[in-house]
Amino acid sequence: SLDWKKAFDFGEERILAEFEKSLQRLQLSYVDLLQIHDFEFCQDPVRIAKETLPVLEKIVKSGKARYIGITGSPLEEFHKVLDVTDVKVDTVLSYCRNIFVDMSLKDHIPYFEGKSIGIINASPTGMGLLTNNGPREGHPASKELKAICSAAGAYCSSRGVELGKLSVHHNIASHPLTVAITLLGVGNMEILRLNMETVREGLTNIEEEVLEEVMDKFFRDIGRDVASWDNKELDEYKMAMRKDKV
């Protein structure tokens, strides 16, 4: 299981040490993009803005990184950092925010554009939630949302269509002028083949038809209370840290 106590350290000493280890493992002298990951676990956006990001700026000035980014889940938290930092942030990475059950990324695009920040959109299948096979064990979505997505996957399977391909297509096709990159993992060669097919050829007529049906049958009226798994992991982190202090 995850050791929450050691999972997050946004201090300068740890950042510099781990970054040097990463360069050694990668056998590189520099990286193009250096990101602060899951910054919301710091629970102090001002500290990220005033203490953590300046460490990354120091690394950039040393020539060991070219650009600075931050990654996280709750989109509102990005504002709290970006509004008070003096460091030029080049990219933000948001995940599971442009999927059939949560399209909230679109509401924040104007804000990021206004700050000339590149948007990386990750997890276009909701960490496997929107696939015919479903997510791995431990996915933070509610049982109700998992059941809805499982039913959608079963429907797609009955029509000979992969729900994951529809979800990836949605991510690539939406906001093409404002989202710089859609980032996804590739678990096997079949998934890679499907993704490349989606990028090059889009959807077939049948897949387009099933996409419309799936949206109407399963995803059109999902409430935010059902669709969101915000703060579940953060709450687990807080609980673990409280236990450690007792």
Side-chain angles (χ1 to χ4, degrees):
S1 62
L2 179 62
D3 185 346
W4 285 114
K5 187 171 68 172
K6 298 179 180 179
F8 299 100
D9 183 345
F10 298 94
E12 179 173 3
E13 183 178 352
R14 178 76 179 274
I15 291 172
L16 293 176
E18 294 299 330
F19 177 68
E20 288 298 330
K21 290 178 184 177
S22 294
L23 287 181
Q24 292 172 14
R25 286 193 293 267
L26 294 167
Q27 299 181 42
L28 296 173
S29 59
Y30 76 95
V31 296
D32 289 310
L33 176 62
L34 177 59
Q35 301 177 108
I36 292 296
H37 184 53
D38 284 349
F39 71 93
E40 68 268 25
F41 283 86
C42 177
Q43 303 176 70
D44 185 351
V46 174
R47 184 188 177 204
I48 295 294
K50 299 297 185 180
E51 297 180 20
T52 304
L53 285 173
V55 178
L56 271 64
E57 186 177 49
K58 182 186 297 185
I59 293 173
V60 168
K61 289 179 178 178
S62 76
K64 292 184 177 181
R66 297 180 64 197
Y67 302 105
I68 293 172
I70 53 178
T71 85
S73 176
L75 289 162
E76 296 79 6
E77 293 297 308
F78 285 96
H79 298 233
K80 296 176 183 179
V81 173
L82 296 169
D83 284 345
V84 297
T85 187
D86 296 321
V87 175
K88 174 66 174 77
V89 175
D90 301 291
T91 68
V92 292
L93 185 153
S94 161
Y95 60 97
C96 302
R97 300 296 185 180
N98 190 36
I99 57 178
F100 297 143
V101 300
D102 185 341
M103 300 185 191
S104 56
L105 175 61
K106 67 179 184 298
D107 299 326
H108 298 263
I109 288 175
Y111 172 82
F112 295 134
E113 281 193 302
K115 290 187 174 292
S116 299
I117 294 174
I119 301 169
I120 302 173
N121 167 48
S123 298
T125 64
M127 300 188 296
L129 186 66
L130 293 161
T131 62
N132 288 7
N133 290 332
R136 294 182 179 181
E137 185 177 352
H139 191 288
S142 67
K143 290 182 180 179
E144 184 177 356
L145 182 58
K146 287 178 180 176
I148 293 170
C149 294
S150 178
Y155 179 79
C156 286
S157 184
S158 72
R159 297 292 306 275
V161 171
E162 170 55 52
L163 176 59
K165 183 179 180 182
L166 305 185
S167 189
V168 170
H169 171 76
H170 162 77
N171 278 261
I172 294 172
S174 58
H175 319 300
L177 300 179
T178 52
V179 173
I181 297 171
T182 292
L183 181 66
L184 69 159
V186 178
N188 55 57
M189 294 303 293
E190 175 59 18
I191 294 175
L192 176 60
R193 185 193 67 77
L194 275 174
N195 290 335
M196 294 304 297
E197 181 181 278
T198 305
V199 171
R200 291 171 176 166
E201 302 174 18
L203 301 181
T204 65
N205 290 337
I206 292 296
E207 288 168 337
E208 291 277 9
E209 180 180 306
V210 172
L211 173 57
E212 291 186 16
E213 294 170 355
V214 164
M215 290 301 298
D216 285 332
K217 290 176 180 290
F218 302 100
F219 301 129
R220 190 69 69 189
D221 299 315
I222 295 182
R224 179 70 179 163
D225 57 327
V226 174
S228 174
W229 57 83
D230 278 354
N231 298 327
K232 181 175 181 181
E233 291 178 320
L234 185 57
D235 289 343
E236 290 178 3
Y237 173 70
K238 291 177 181 177
M239 185 178 298
M241 297 305 287
R242 282 197 295 269
K243 288 181 179 179
D244 185 64
K245 291 179 179 179
V246 174

